[in-house]
Amino acid sequence: MESTAGAGQLLAISDLHISYPENRALVEEMRPDGDDDWLIVAGDVAETVADIRWALTTLASRFRKVLWAPGNHELWTHPKDSVELRGVARYEHLVGLCRELGVVTPEDPYPVWHGPGGPVAVAPLFLLYDYSFLPAGCATKDEGLDYARGTGVVCNDEYLLHPDPYPTREDWCRARVAETERRLAALPADLPTVLVNHYPLDRHPTEVLWYPEFAMWCGTGLTADWHRRFRVATMVYGHLHIPRTTWHDGVRFEEVSVGYPREWRKRPGPPGRLRRIMPMEGEAGDRGVAPGVGRGRGGTQ
């Protein structure tokens, strides 16, 4: 594992969605407070490789270290993207791009943060989902998808996120979970972690979705105990477009997304604020949802 010392901050953001000019402008303005700041980018930078490269190049030129975990949008084989790779080949292409830029990926050794609040291993993860977060009354994936189609709330992953060479997205998910579990179990038993995944490791953050059927595309029950098993100081995620802090089993879960302009314009405070993970924000008695947030997310995201 790589280590680095300093007195900076471990910051996080996700769901930049820079295909929107307003969001691209937010990235252009993102800067660290000091030379030792690290930045976690928890997925959904953009849909095209060119946009992903621009954003990560911009951020990597400013922060001491950038860590990236892929979201579903990066994994789409989008008709507007000149890179037509699918599934694992697309993911590996993005890993290669990140390594070219010096950005830490889920395939790299987990760096250790030795700044304030450390030491902690900061582990970007790529786990996907397996349709185990089913709507109430549904017992199988097919039942859940039928219900979702009936409501009109179907994730675009069904059309654009290909699992090749795996038969299904849930097969790819299970393979990723098994390999990641092995790597996390090999970390020193006395070393706390910050786990970073595009999706929450536990289902509880999805309970505030306006459209609960969208939870099917939001994670896997296979990781429901990881926040306890792997000494998690903070679980960082995005995807839901509901930025907030929750606590589960005494562990902090931090949703750090920017979201779409139509969403962030409704929120108080400036958009695109980098969330501080270390040293922890709101340590003094903060055990609830961050103020000023509401329900969100659904449709065909």
Side-chain angles (χ1 to χ4, degrees), residues 56-67:
L56 293 180
T57 298
T58 299
L59 296 171
S61 71
R62 297 171 179 172
F63 290 83
R64 171 81 175 268
K65 188 180 295 295
V66 172
L67 305 92

Side-chain angles (χ1 to χ4, degrees), residues 198-229:
H198 185 59
Y199 312 98
L201 295 179
D202 180 78
R203 184 171 183 167
H204 83 268
T206 70
E207 294 169 357
V208 298
L209 291 170
W210 277 120
Y211 304 103
E213 55 270 33
F214 188 74
M216 284 191 295
W217 296 277
C218 294
T220 169
L222 295 172
T223 61
D225 66 347
W226 283 20
H227 61 289
R228 299 190 303 271
R229 287 181 57 198

